[in-house]
């Protein structure tokens, strides 16, 4: 196996796209960048860095992903966000394990969050690290890999906010491969405002899926806030972080509910605080 094929959907990512493409292309991976609705040099810089490039007019991750899946002929397929860091070795290892697994059709490495420069955001993530979400066989949040059978089950993406959660819920927990020893890294938001914006989009995506696709299984392993409180209560150093976590969670869900009720569009998920840190 020389794969996987790596798909990177990118909207106005000229400042970081070369850094995302170069290590993967240099390792011999087939990298396909879908520059969607770009008004900058994303496409040219991706091509110069060694990627194949498709351009679409609409700034839509879903349009980009469907264009990529229609083009791909070599499997597995790894969908990688432009602002994450993942090594070619870990992507290859993950693809090999997925290929060898007789049950799993989707896989994701473990997510590592780089600390924020914001004290408020750092306290939030100290508590977030204790949530059931971190041990639920999570797929996505920056990287996921589908084998040929997984792509066949997916077909084409519907127009959803949360592509990664949609993919996760298409597969039962036993069909997901989530090894802890293979990782990717993301930058934590650089401000509490950026964190709130990110979490509002996540909450909107969750609510949209629950409303539009109720037949899809809920995320596995979630036991709610009660288990988190039990973990935090004996540790006074986390109490301030828990207050921040709870406030962000509640406000993000309130904003997401209002956004969806008003049928307002949800913007492309980009956080310029993390891109400035990566540039």
């Amino acid at each position: 196996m020389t794969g996987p094929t790596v798909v990177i959907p990118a909207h106005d990512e000229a400042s970081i796209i070369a850094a995302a493409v170069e290590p993967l292309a240099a390792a011999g991976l087939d990298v396909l960048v879908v520059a969607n609705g770009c008004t900058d040099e994303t496409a040219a810089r991706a091509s110069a860095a060694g990627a194949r490039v498709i351009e679409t007019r609409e700034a839509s991750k879903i349009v980009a992903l469907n264009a990529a899946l229609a083009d791909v002929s070599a499997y597995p397929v790894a969908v990688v966000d432009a602002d994450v860091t993942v090594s070619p070795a870990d992507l290859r290892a993950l693809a090999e394990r997925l290929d060898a697994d007789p049950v799993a059709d989707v896989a994701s490495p473990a997510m590592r969050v780089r600390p924020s420069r914001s004290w408020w955001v750092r306290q939030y993530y100290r508590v977030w690290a204790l949530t059931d979400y971190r041990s639920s066989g999570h797929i996505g949040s920056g990287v996921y890999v589908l084998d040929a059978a997984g792509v066949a089950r997916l077909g084409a993406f519907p127009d959803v906010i949360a592509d990664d959660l949609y993919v996760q819920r298409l597969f039962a927990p036993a069909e997901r491969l989530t090894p802890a020893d293979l990782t990717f890294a993301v930058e934590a938001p650089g401000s509490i405002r950026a964190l709130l914006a990110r979490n509002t989009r996540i909450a909107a995506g969750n609510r949209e899926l629950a409303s539009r696709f109720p037949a899809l299984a809920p995320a596995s392993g979630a036991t709610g806030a009660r288990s988190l409180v039990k973990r935090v209560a004996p540790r006074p150093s986390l109490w301030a972080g828990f207050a921040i976590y709870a406030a962000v969670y509640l406000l993000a869900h309130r904003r997401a509910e209002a956004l969806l009720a008003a049928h307002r569009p949800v913007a492309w998920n980009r956080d310029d605080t993390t891109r400035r840190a990566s540039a």
Side-chain angles (χ1 to χ4, degrees):
M1 176 183 293
T2 59
T5 302
V6 181
V7 169
I8 304 178
H11 170 64
D12 285 347
E13 299 284 22
S15 66
I16 62 172
I17 195 63
V21 169
E22 284 171 354
L24 304 174
L29 296 177
D30 179 21
V31 182
L32 174 60
V33 170
V34 186
N36 56 100
C38 291
T39 59
D40 63 5
E41 297 180 352
T42 296
R45 294 187 183 184
S47 180
R52 297 188 293 120
V53 177
I54 294 175
E55 296 188 66
T56 66
R57 287 190 174 187
E58 186 176 353
S60 164
K61 187 177 183 182
I62 295 302
V63 169
L65 290 173
N66 284 333
L69 292 177
D71 182 86
V72 166
S73 59
Y75 300 91
V77 176
V79 175
V80 178
D81 287 351
D83 61 338
V84 308
T85 303
V86 61
S87 75
D90 277 12
L91 274 185
R92 275 206 173 98
L94 187 62
E96 289 169 358
R97 293 185 198 182
L98 181 61
D99 192 54
D101 193 302
V103 177
D105 291 316
V106 65
S108 187
M111 181 169 61
R112 301 288 180 257
V113 180
R114 296 192 182 105
S116 173
R117 58 182 177 268
S118 163
W119 179 87
W120 299 88
V121 176
R122 290 197 302 273
Q123 302 317 301
Y124 170 94
Y125 275 103
R126 291 181 68 200
V127 174
W128 173 86
L130 300 177
T131 60
D132 290 330
Y133 169 89
R134 294 288 285 154
S135 58
S136 64
H138 179 70
I139 296 294
S141 293
V143 181
Y144 56 88
V145 181
L146 291 158
D147 63 12
V151 172
R153 183 184 301 186
L154 169 63
F157 278 99
D159 186 14
V160 294
I161 299 167
D163 64 288
D164 50 359
L165 185 61
Y166 178 78
V167 167
Q168 173 173 303
R169 294 190 179 181
L170 287 177
F171 300 90
E175 297 174 312
R176 308 173 197 157
L177 181 64
T178 55
D181 61 318
L182 305 177
T183 65
F184 71 101
V186 298
E187 299 281 348
S191 69
I192 197 72
R193 178 178 294 181
L195 175 65
L196 180 58
R198 175 183 289 187
N199 283 21
T200 297
R201 181 182 174 88
I202 292 170
N206 292 347
R207 286 173 175 270
E208 180 191 54
L209 282 183
S211 173
R212 291 180 56 192
F213 302 97
L216 292 181
S220 64
T223 57
R226 187 174 300 174
S227 62
L228 181 59
V229 170
K230 288 181 179 179
R231 295 179 187 125
V232 170
R235 303 169 63 177
S237 66
L238 293 176
W239 292 354
F242 182 78
I244 295 168
Y245 179 90
V248 169
Y249 179 91
L250 292 172
L251 186 54
H253 277 263
R254 184 174 300 174
R255 289 186 175 186
E257 183 178 10
L259 185 152
L260 293 174
H263 303 289
R264 291 165 53 195
V266 180
W268 177 276
N269 186 19
R270 70 175 293 119
D271 178 359
D272 288 333
T273 67
T274 61
R275 279 156 178 79
R276 282 197 295 269
S278 300

